[in-house]
Amino acid sequence: ISVIRQGQTTSAVEKYNARVAEAQAGAVRTSAAFESEILKEQSEVEQAKVRRAKTQAIGVQRAQYAKAGVRLEEGSPLEVMADTAAQYELDLAANRYNLATGLETIRYGSEVKQAQLGAEAQYRRQLAKAAKTASYLSAGSTLLSGGYLASRK
């Protein structure tokens, strides 16, 4: 009977460990969602800063050209302002790329960790079942051995 009780205890411990692994997988999922939201918000703030800097830089260029009496509708001044705008657009594109890469990294890392924890939970449930079965088999074997030895006397 103590063998059976030991198997039941081991089984209960492994079932608990399985639940812990599943809870950890849930925490990983929640953490990934939170990290993704923070990354998106940081990206939005950075993009707003870049857009504001772009508007200010072009405004300063326009004002300096106007102060110097240069026509803005054509030629070099227009090309300089277009180049300035293009440089800021590159910064915005890099920011969007970094956001997409960061989100993908978070997603992949989260999925891998969740899969690992899911596999661990499944493994723990199998250990629980095996411990219980082994205890019954051991108890049955002990009874059969005892009965056999008693019959030989």
Side-chain angles (χ1 to χ4, degrees):
I1 294 186
S2 68
V3 173
I4 292 175
R5 210 171 268 137
Q6 182 182 5
Q8 290 172 336
T9 301
T10 301
S11 177
V13 167
E14 292 304 340
K15 285 179 183 177
Y16 172 79
N17 288 337
R19 289 192 303 275
V20 168
E22 289 168 342
Q24 288 173 332
V28 166
R29 186 172 29 260
T30 300
S31 176
F34 183 68
E35 286 180 55
S36 294
E37 285 305 311
I38 289 174
L39 187 60
K40 288 176 189 175
E41 289 174 13
Q42 289 173 337
S43 177
E44 288 174 13
V45 168
E46 186 60 32
Q47 286 185 28
K49 286 180 182 179
V50 170
R51 285 188 198 98
R52 188 176 13 229
K54 172 185 166 186
T55 300
Q56 288 174 344
I58 293 173
V60 167
Q61 287 175 336
R62 187 181 309 255
Q64 289 174 343
Y65 284 133
K67 184 177 177 182
V70 177
R71 292 183 51 156
L72 302 176
E73 295 80 28
E74 58 186 41
S76 296
L78 188 59
E79 290 175 12
V80 168
M81 288 190 297
D83 185 54
T84 299
Q87 291 300 316
Y88 281 101
E89 288 301 320
L90 282 174
D91 289 345
L92 289 170
N95 180 278
R96 287 188 298 270
Y97 174 79
N98 291 337
L99 171 62
T101 302
L103 290 174
E104 188 62 20
T105 300
I106 291 169
R107 183 193 64 77
Y108 178 76
S110 172
E111 286 179 1
V112 167
K113 188 66 178 169
Q114 288 178 62
Q116 290 171 336
L117 289 166
E120 180 180 346
Q122 183 178 0
Y123 172 69
R124 297 293 183 173
R125 283 191 293 275
Q126 289 172 343
L127 286 178
K129 186 177 179 181
K132 207 177 229 185
T133 301
S135 70
Y136 290 133
L137 291 175
S138 180
S141 174
T142 301
L143 284 174
L144 289 174
S145 296
Y148 174 74
L149 291 175
S151 70
R152 296 208 47 179
K153 288 185 178 182

